[in-house]
Amino acid sequence: MKQTKIATAVKISITSKLDGIRSWSLQALDTCPGSIESPGVLVDACKGCYATTGNYRFSNVKAPREFNRIDWQRMDWCDDMVYELTNDEYFRWFDSGDMYSLALAEKMLEVMQRTPWCKHWLPTRMHKFPKFALVLRAMAQLPNVMVRPSSDSIVGEFVSGLHGSVIVPDSRVNPDMVTLCRAYENEGKCNGCRACYDKAVPVIAYPAHGAKIGKVIRIKLA
């Protein structure tokens, strides 16, 4: 049952790409243990992270993400999130950051369980850590949740049955049995596409965009 309350303290993000679909986010890299390949070295996909460029560098954009890192630890955070999602049909977790804490992941699972009217999309690299296996499995078993473990590749390499998303150098590179994100055809916006939330779509390929990731790809392919 959807709950009613007066107000919440939850900080929600709205990204233009997502057609107004909302998200809950944390600061990129600071909360992304899965982005680290070895001490001081990021995995290829995170070397060109879009959430470290452009508007994401501004203090007013960072502020709610830094707030959220503390806020989720409140006892009534799950109640507030459930209320916040009362009218949402779709929700994305982490347009930046990741669920770096198992306790956070368990709270997210509770929110997902209590909002069956809302379809959740969770991109994550936390599948690399065994202690997250049970909670990720529980999330994936929910009919309203699509967990997409991210590949670290930027050239379309992924493991079938493990990864749910991968970066490709451009739209001409589309691995077999993979759905290509076509936001590039719509000024970088989803434009009604909801493939990322769809359990019938096992792997999404995202064409790289932006100068930073472009440089990383050129070095990789050199």
Side-chain angles (χ1 to χ4, degrees), residues 84 93 129 196:
E84 186 67 33
W93 292 92
F129 304 97
C196 292

Side-chain angles (χ1 to χ4, degrees), residues 141-208:
Q141 290 174 345
L142 294 173
N144 62 317
V145 178
M146 184 58 195
V147 178
R148 291 200 178 275
S150 303
S151 166
D152 292 336
S153 174
I154 54 176
V155 292
E157 298 171 343
F158 68 95
V159 177
S160 180
L162 170 61
H163 297 126
S165 67
V166 64
I167 296 172
V168 292
D170 57 54
S171 60
R172 295 168 296 179
V173 180
N174 188 17
D176 291 339
M177 307 301 292
V178 169
T179 297
L180 185 68
C181 172
R182 296 190 174 277
Y184 67 92
E185 296 178 343
N186 303 297
E187 299 180 342
K189 295 180 172 55
C190 296
N191 197 36
C193 177
R194 299 293 180 262
C196 292
Y197 303 82
D198 192 343
K199 288 180 177 288
V201 179
V203 184
I204 304 279
Y206 301 106

Side-chain angles (χ1 to χ4, degrees), residues 37-111:
E37 181 177 20
S38 60
V41 179
L42 295 174
V43 301
D44 287 342
C46 297
K47 290 176 182 176
C49 178
Y50 65 85
T52 61
T53 63
N55 291 340
Y56 284 92
R57 297 174 297 175
F58 298 154
S59 58
N60 65 315
V61 177
K62 291 181 178 180
R65 289 159 172 76
E66 293 167 349
F67 173 89
N68 285 342
R69 188 168 184 175
I70 303 299
D71 187 58
W72 71 263
Q73 300 176 58
R74 291 187 293 113
M75 289 187 64
D76 54 355
W77 182 81
C78 289
D79 292 338
D80 286 350
M81 282 296 297
V82 172
Y83 171 73
E84 186 67 33
L85 297 181
T86 296
N87 296 312
D88 291 67
E89 294 184 31
Y90 294 90
F91 191 74
R92 172 177 175 171
W93 292 92
F94 305 114
D95 65 78
S96 64
D98 206 341
M99 52 179 194
Y100 66 98
S101 163
L102 184 57
L104 169 59
E106 290 169 343
K107 283 193 170 186
M108 289 169 55
L109 173 61
E110 179 180 340
V111 173

